[in-house]
Amino acid sequence: VNFLYSDCNKMYGIEVGGLANTARLRMVGLQAALGCNFANRDAVGLTVATVDLCNGSFMGLNVDIVGANRNSYGLTIDGLGSFTDNSFYGLGIAGLTSAIREDMWGWQIAGGATFARRVHGFQTSLLFNMTDDLRGAQLSLINYAATCTAGFQVGLVNIITDNVVPFLPIFNCCF
């Protein structure tokens, strides 16, 4: 337990810091801070902070205001938003927006908007969902998919650009 800052090469166990925690190589266990958690490589376990950053793969439960990972496996709960640089596997819940640069396998939920290059599962938001390739379902006010190999959209505006009928209100699917 550190009042301001905790720094270690490999963290196995519990790391609690007032402002920030850093695991330079690997974090396995619980990492909690009022400010920022940072794992330079992989992180496994539970992280809780205002900002959570993992430069490798995160596996477990991540609770924060803003989070960013290379790959994510498990459950992430982000008060404002989350960004995953590569692929996401699991359930992601964000207050405002969730962005996944590559594949999303599971369920992506946001109060505002969701973005993923390829969706293998469900995208749900209040305002806007967007993907290059839909292989699952989108539920939002506005849904956009460049291609849809297997899936459907439910919303006020539903767009699948490579579809026989590219725009349909209420419901759209692969034809």
Side-chain angles (χ1 to χ4, degrees), residues 78-108:
D78 305 281
L80 285 178
S82 68
F83 175 73
T84 302
D85 190 40
N86 289 322
S87 296
F88 180 88
Y89 303 84
L91 172 61
I93 303 167
L96 188 59
T97 188
S98 172
I100 299 167
R101 190 172 178 190
E102 295 298 332
D103 292 290
M104 190 283 297
W105 297 83
W107 194 358
Q108 185 182 21

Side-chain angles (χ1 to χ4, degrees), residues 21-67:
N21 292 316
T22 300
R24 294 179 186 261
L25 297 177
R26 183 174 170 88
M27 191 286 292
V28 177
L30 167 67
Q31 196 177 43
L34 293 175
C36 179
N37 285 330
F38 176 70
N40 195 35
R41 299 224 179 122
D42 294 341
V44 178
L46 169 64
T47 61
V48 179
T50 301
V51 177
D52 268 314
L53 305 170
C54 181
N55 202 27
S57 294
F58 177 82
M59 294 161 266
L61 172 61
N62 184 334
V63 180
D64 55 49
I65 302 298
V66 176

